Amino acid sequence: MERFRLQTALDIRKRLEKLKQKEYAQQLQVAKNLEVQIEQAQQSIEQSDLQADSLKTGILSVQVLQGHNAFKKRLLYQIDLLEQRLQEQNQLVAVKRSEVAQAGQKRRALEIIKEKRELLARKKQERLERSQMDEIAQNFVLKQVKRV
């Protein structure tokens, strides 16, 4: 059977698709890490609020309250920054997802062409074999007729 002329292109498309999938997975992991960081910062704020509430029942100094507020403001600012980075990262993830889809479509297009060519080659081979078998059968019949 003939070798598919575009096999090299198909192999390159497959490798390119795998590379795009890897890049997509990496960007998705970065987004997950940002989400985890945001969650941790929010938990730190909650814990700090609980500690400040427990201190309010006892002796509370202005310095402790100011420290708590400064800590909370800093964490809220960090959360805002992380959320902005997460939005940018989610946009990048969407771009990578579309690149993976496009790479898959390009690979699949070549695979379809390859399958069609293989099918045509098989049909051609079957026709050739059938015609050879018909010729052999016809020659056999002619020999039988000549003997009689």
Side-chain angles (χ1 to χ4, degrees):
M1 187 176 274
E2 295 179 21
R3 186 179 186 283
F4 181 54
R5 286 187 292 166
L6 299 174
Q7 185 63 43
T8 304
L10 179 59
D11 293 341
I12 290 171
R13 294 271 169 91
K14 285 180 181 179
R15 279 184 275 162
L16 185 62
E17 182 183 17
K18 285 182 183 179
L19 180 66
K20 296 288 183 186
Q21 287 174 344
K22 183 178 178 182
E23 290 173 0
Y24 170 69
Q26 288 172 342
Q27 295 304 323
L28 196 59
Q29 186 62 40
V30 169
K32 295 289 183 198
N33 289 342
L34 287 172
E35 289 174 358
V36 167
Q37 289 176 2
I38 290 171
E39 176 122 1
Q40 289 173 346
Q42 289 172 342
Q43 288 175 353
S44 295
I45 289 174
E46 290 173 8
Q47 289 175 351
S48 176
D49 285 343
L50 289 175
Q51 287 176 350
D53 287 344
S54 68
L55 289 176
K56 286 179 185 175
T57 59
I59 301 171
L60 182 66
S61 70
V62 174
Q63 292 174 338
V64 172
L65 191 55
Q66 286 175 342
H68 168 69
N69 285 338
F71 176 74
K72 189 173 180 177
K73 282 181 182 179
R74 191 177 75 241
L75 281 179
L76 287 173
Y77 178 72
Q78 287 178 347
I79 288 173
D80 285 342
L81 291 178
L82 288 171
E83 285 176 345
Q84 289 174 1
R85 285 180 52 201
L86 181 60
Q87 286 177 344
E88 292 170 0
Q89 190 64 34
N90 284 337
Q91 290 173 354
L92 186 59
V93 166
V95 168
K96 294 295 180 182
R97 185 181 308 123
S98 69
E99 287 177 1
V100 168
Q102 288 175 354
Q105 288 172 349
K106 289 178 181 179
R107 175 197 46 83
R108 185 64 187 134
L110 285 178
E111 285 179 345
I112 290 171
I113 291 170
K114 180 181 178 180
E115 290 169 1
K116 286 182 180 180
R117 289 201 178 153
E118 287 175 349
L119 181 63
L120 288 173
R122 254 186 272 122
K123 285 182 179 180
K124 183 178 178 181
Q125 183 66 30
E126 288 173 3
R127 276 195 311 269
L128 182 62
E129 289 174 0
R130 229 182 355 257
S131 68
Q132 289 173 348
M133 294 301 283
D134 289 345
E135 185 179 341
I136 291 170
Q138 187 178 13
N139 289 339
F140 180 75
V141 168
L142 287 176
K143 284 183 183 180
Q144 292 298 327
V145 170
K146 285 182 181 179
R147 284 188 187 169
V148 175

